[in-house]
Amino acid sequence: MRVESSAITETSVAVSSHHAPAAPGPRPRVGGTLQAALGVTAFSLTFPATTWGLEGFGPWSLVGVRSVLAAVIAGVCLLALRVPLPGRRHWAGLAVVAAGVVLGFPTLTTLALQTSTTAHAAVVVGLLPLTTALFSALRMGTRPSRTFWTAALAGAAAVLAFTVTQSGGALTTADLCLFGALLVCAAGYTEGGRLARVMPGWQVIGWALVLCLPLSVPGALLALSYEPALLTAHSVAGLLWVAAGSQFLGLVVWYRGMAAIGIPKASQLQLAQPLLTLVWSVLLLGEQLTPAAPLTAAAVLVCIAVTQRSSA
């Protein structure tokens, strides 16, 4: 009886261990952080690439064509891998991602960049981590620690002070577009991060892009009829990056990273995005940086380190 009992016990332990979910170890967290950081790097090129794209495209045609191109890439991947349609319960969330990340943020920021510099537009990205953490707390009930919030607010304040100073401290009419983009993008990031827990991150943005095709295709055709495109090296390179890099590949690794390490912690990595954008602005657009950049960079890195170590 003891032998039989021991066998039953061993079998039950084996079965329970087989079905028990594995605890997230350090490697998935490191991988998630790296993927989120890759997403931030891709996003940091969005504003300079948009500025390049606007050299040959109107704002509405640039947004429409980038959405169509990104949707074609996503659709080909979905078809090639024979990915089934998402469950009906996920379509509302995908619609939020589409409205915020695919349509809202690109449209509003592109309109703003017609009259705003990339330095001034970086104010949006500087406040996006804090806004995303707030949306996450409201939508998903996450409760980051007090240390997390203190570091996040300090990082956001440092980035905001730097970018406002960089742009001369003047508020323009583009600010309404920028703050609107901030809100819709934070909502899209939060909903996308939630969906990435139940489906692969690339499918989240892929289906959101495909969902927008009935709007983006006629929108692109209509915009091109009013805003004829001038194909130059800069405009084509900018268009290809915002379509393939920012709109699809960047969001793929970003959503995977958020699913692995959590929305609040991933969002704080974006505190480095405005500073990266300013570096690209110097290298690609010839803009000038102030001596405050290294000091702000150091402060932001400290805040990121604190938020990553604090419990969330």
Side-chain angles (χ1 to χ4, degrees):
M1 294 295 293
R2 288 184 177 179
V3 175
E4 183 180 352
S5 174
S6 176
I8 293 175
T9 302
E10 291 176 1
T11 302
S12 63
V13 169
V15 171
S16 62
S17 64
H18 174 73
H19 288 285
R27 287 187 178 180
R29 281 196 169 276
V30 171
T33 301
L34 289 176
Q35 289 184 93
L38 284 174
V40 169
T41 304
F43 299 153
S44 70
L45 279 160
T46 301
F47 287 168
T50 299
T51 301
W52 271 10
L54 287 172
E55 292 181 12
F57 292 87
W60 295 104
S61 59
L62 179 62
V63 171
V65 173
R66 71 179 275 185
S67 297
V68 172
L69 289 179
V72 169
I73 297 172
V76 169
C77 293
L78 292 168
L79 286 175
L81 296 175
R82 298 181 180 180
V83 178
L85 288 171
R88 186 175 298 179
R89 66 186 184 280
H90 298 318
W91 283 106
L94 289 171
V96 174
V97 176
V101 177
V102 178
L103 297 178
F105 186 80
T107 301
L108 292 170
T109 54
T110 300
L111 291 174
L113 284 170
Q114 287 189 289
T115 56
S116 174
T117 64
T118 55
H120 191 79
V123 172
V124 172
V125 188
L127 295 177
L128 188 55
L130 179 60
T131 310
T132 303
L134 287 171
F135 269 77
S136 175
L138 294 173
R139 177 69 176 89
M140 303 178 64
T142 56
R143 293 294 181 267
S145 65
R146 185 175 298 179
T147 301
F148 177 95
W149 285 117
T150 301
L153 287 170
V159 171
L160 182 61
F162 173 70
T163 50
V164 169
T165 302
Q166 183 79 7
S167 62
L171 295 178
T172 67
T173 55
D175 288 323
L176 289 178
C177 290
L178 293 173
F179 285 113
L182 170 70
L183 295 177
V184 297
C185 190
Y189 279 175
T190 300
E191 201 63 24
R194 183 188 68 81
L195 288 172
R197 294 181 176 181
V198 295
M199 68 174 70
W202 75 272
Q203 293 182 22
V204 174
I205 185 58
W207 286 118
L209 286 164
V210 171
L211 186 64
C212 290
L213 275 175
L215 292 176
S216 59
V217 169
L221 294 175
L222 181 63
L224 286 171
S225 67
Y226 285 95
E227 299 172 343
L230 175 62
L231 300 183
T232 65
H234 275 184
S235 64
V236 172
L239 170 64
L240 291 178
W241 179 258
V242 293
S246 304
Q247 195 89 52
F248 184 63
L249 297 177
L251 285 168
V252 168
V253 293
W254 174 244
Y255 282 141
R256 285 175 61 90
M258 283 199 295
I261 65 176
I263 297 174
K265 284 192 174 184
S267 69
Q268 296 314 299
L269 291 174
Q270 281 196 305
L271 286 171
Q273 186 173 325
L275 302 176
L276 288 173
T277 298
L278 291 172
V279 171
W280 298 126
S281 299
V282 171
L283 297 177
L284 300 177
L285 304 177
E287 294 186 2
Q288 299 295 320
L289 289 181
T290 65
L295 295 177
T296 307
V300 167
L301 290 176
V302 170
C303 293
I304 291 175
V306 173
T307 58
Q308 295 303 298
R309 289 181 177 274
S310 66
S311 59

